[in-house]
Amino acid sequence: MAAGHPLMKRIELDTLVTLVDSSSFIKDYSTKLPLASRPELGDGGNMRPVVDLLVEQIECADFVLLNKVDLLPGGLEGEALEQLQAIVASLNPLATVIACEQAKVPLEHVFGSSVHKVVANLNIEGQHRGAVAAAKAAAEVEHLQSCQDNSCTHEAHTHHHHVDHHSCSASCTHEDHNHQHHEHKHHHGEDGHSHGHGHNHKDHAETRAAKRFGIKSFVYSRRRPFHLKRLQDTVLRWLPVTHNKAVDAAAVAAAEGDSPIKAVLRSKGFMWLSNKHTTAFYWSHAGQHFEIREEGDWWAAVPDDEWPDEASGQRAVILSDFAPSVGDRRQEIVFIGAGMDEAKICAQLDAALLTDDELKAYNDKWSSLPDPEHAGAPTAVAAST
C-alpha cells in the first residue's frame, strides 16, 4: 500500500524492531501450522508456515525484544530465558536481543543515531554474509580457546587468522572454503555488500549461553555441485525434521539413530545443483519448514556489462567469491543447532556431491557453453574440490 506513495520519497527505513512472545516462541517454532490457522498473526492468512514468518522477522531485525519474559519459568533469572536468548542470538548474530515485560523498553535503547543498527538495510545476501561471518568468527574463537591447552601441537593452531578449516569437519580435505561474500544479479542492492562485524563486539554473555546449551554454528562450503537424486536420498528425506535438540531435547533423545540433521535448529545458504548450471539456489530450513528455491543466476553466468561498475565497490565483492573454472558457484550453507555432529553432517552432505567421474562429465557437458568473460576473475585451470 505504501509503494508509490509520495511520502516514501522523503523517508527511509532506519531500524527494524521485532517483538517476540517469549512464552510461545518454542511452541510456534515447532509447529507445522500455516498462517491461515493463526489469523492474529496477519500476513493475509495464507498457507505460509508460521515458523517461516517467525524466523524471517527475527533475522531481519536490528533489535529483537523478548517480551513476556515474566511468563517464562524463572522469569528474568530463569534458565528458559537464557536458552531463548541463545537461540535468538544464533538466528540473528547481528541483532541486539533485549528481554522485557509488557514491551517496556527505553526508546533510546532502540531508536536514535547513537544505537547500533545494520540489519534493516541488508538484503537476503547481506544477511547471509553476516551469518557466515558470525559462524566463522565463533569457530575461530573456539579454535583459539582450544589452543590454551599447552599440549596442543596442531600446526594450524599457529595461524590465528586462518578460518577456512572451520567450514567443515576436521577430516575435510577441501581447500576452497574461504568465501564469505555472495551477490546475485536480481538481489543486487546498494546495501547488499556490507553486513558489518558488530557481532564481534557484543556481550560475551550470549556466547557463554550458547556454549552452555550446546548451540553452535558452522559453514558447510564446497566447490562442486550436488547430485540432486543423491541429495534427496541422503539428506533431504530427513527434512523438515520432526524435532530439534535445541527446542525438544527429550523427544530427540528418544529417537536417536536417524540422521545428524535432526540436531539442526536452522540452516540456510546458497547451493549449486548439477541439473542447473547457471542457476543459484537458496536452501532454507527452520523447524518444520524446509524449502529450496531459485535465487537467480550465478554472477559467473551474467554478462559482464550487466555487472555493477567499479565505482560501486561491489564488483570486487562479487569477484571475491570466484574460483578458477567455477566462478562463484558453490555450496555455502550455515548450520545452527544444539549438539550438532559437524563431521557427520558434512559427511552426509559430501555423499551427495558429484563424484570425480560425474564432475568430469558435468564439466564436459557445459564446456561448449562457457561463462562470459569477466575482467579480474581468476582464470587458471584448477581441480574443483
Side-chain angles (χ1 to χ4, degrees):
M1 291 173 56
H5 194 284
L7 181 62
M8 300 307 294
K9 297 180 180 180
R10 296 175 172 270
I11 62 175
E12 63 180 23
L13 181 63
D14 179 78
T15 306
L16 272 174
V17 180
T18 292
L19 189 69
V20 173
D21 185 339
S22 301
S23 64
S24 64
F25 177 87
I26 299 300
K27 179 181 178 181
D28 288 339
Y29 198 95
S30 304
T31 185
K32 295 181 180 180
L33 295 175
L35 288 172
S37 66
R38 298 285 301 278
E40 74 275 14
L41 296 179
D43 208 46
N46 57 33
M47 297 307 293
R48 183 184 185 186
V50 170
V51 65
D52 188 41
L53 178 64
L54 177 65
V55 169
E56 178 189 79
Q57 292 190 351
I58 288 176
E59 292 181 341
C60 73
D62 294 292
F63 296 89
V64 179
L65 307 186
L66 301 181
N67 193 34
K68 300 183 181 180
V69 294
D70 51 313
L71 300 182
L72 290 173
L76 280 169
E77 306 300 325
E79 184 176 283
L81 174 58
E82 190 177 3
Q83 182 182 27
L84 181 56
Q85 289 173 321
I87 292 173
V88 171
S90 70
L91 292 175
N92 186 348
L94 300 180
T96 299
V97 182
I98 303 174
C100 61
E101 300 177 15
Q102 299 181 346
K104 293 181 179 179
V105 176
L107 286 180
E108 63 270 19
H109 288 185
V110 295
F111 292 117
S113 59
S114 62
V115 301
H116 172 77
K117 64 254 188 178
V118 62
V119 188
N121 293 312
L122 296 180
N123 58 24
I124 191 171
E125 296 175 26
Q127 293 173 20
H128 170 72
R129 287 195 296 276
V132 169
K136 291 187 175 183
E140 181 72 0
V141 169
E142 183 178 343
H143 170 69
L144 294 177
Q145 288 176 342
S146 70
C147 292
Q148 299 301 317
D149 182 355
N150 293 331
S151 64
C152 170
T153 58
H154 197 289
E155 182 179 351
H157 291 183
T158 63
H159 304 287
H160 291 178
H161 300 290
H162 189 274
V163 298
D164 296 355
H165 57 285
H166 295 305
S167 299
C168 60
S169 66
S171 61
C172 168
T173 59
H174 300 275
E175 297 175 358
D176 290 316
H177 297 174
N178 59 338
H179 309 277
Q180 298 183 23
H181 303 283
H182 202 286
E183 190 69 48
H184 292 307
K185 178 182 176 184
H186 76 291
H187 269 308
H188 182 66
E190 63 179 2
D191 297 303
H193 66 284
S194 61
H195 57 72
H197 296 277
H199 54 272
N200 289 333
H201 307 288
K202 294 179 70 175
D203 190 344
H204 292 296
E206 291 178 358
T207 303
R208 291 196 300 270
K211 187 173 183 179
R212 176 181 177 187
F213 295 107
I215 299 173
K216 62 176 292 186
S217 60
F218 71 92
V219 184
Y220 175 82
S221 299
R222 298 292 189 271
R223 285 285 182 166
R224 66 172 66 195
F226 282 128
H227 185 289
L228 182 57
K229 182 62 167 62
R230 278 206 302 278
L231 184 67
Q232 292 171 330
D233 292 342
T234 60
V235 181
L236 301 188
R237 67 193 183 102
W238 301 110
L239 295 169
V241 293
T242 303
H243 300 288
N244 288 293
K245 283 188 176 180
V247 297
D248 198 347
V252 174
E256 289 291 342
D258 292 330
S259 168
I261 295 291
K262 290 181 63 174
V264 176
L265 173 72
R266 171 77 163 127
S267 55
K268 57 182 179 178
F270 297 101
M271 57 188 300
W272 176 15
L273 297 178
S274 62
N275 62 330
K276 292 289 185 74
H277 184 61
T278 62
T279 304
F281 289 84
Y282 193 76
W283 163 306
S284 180
H285 157 239
Q288 299 295 316
H289 176 65
F290 176 73
E291 69 172 334
I292 293 175
R293 64 175 183 266
E294 291 189 5
E295 197 67 18
D297 290 341
W298 295 109
W299 276 110
V302 176
D304 203 64
D305 60 5
E306 296 182 29
W307 279 36
D309 57 30
E310 293 279 359
S312 70
Q314 295 184 58
R315 187 180 183 89
V317 174
I318 295 170
L319 288 173
S320 71
D321 288 327
F322 273 56
S325 76
V326 300
D328 58 331
R329 297 177 180 88
R330 66 196 182 280
Q331 319 296 349
E332 188 175 66
I333 306 171
V334 178
F335 285 86
I336 302 167
M340 292 187 300
D341 189 322
E342 183 178 337
K344 287 184 178 180
I345 292 174
C346 285
Q348 195 168 67
L349 290 164
D350 285 347
L353 295 171
L354 295 190
T355 65
D356 289 344
D357 289 342
E358 291 168 341
L359 183 61
K360 183 179 184 304
Y362 174 91
N363 290 332
D364 289 344
K365 174 182 178 180
W366 292 106
S367 62
S368 61
L369 294 171
D371 292 328
E373 292 187 4
H374 301 293
T379 58
V381 177
S384 297
T385 56

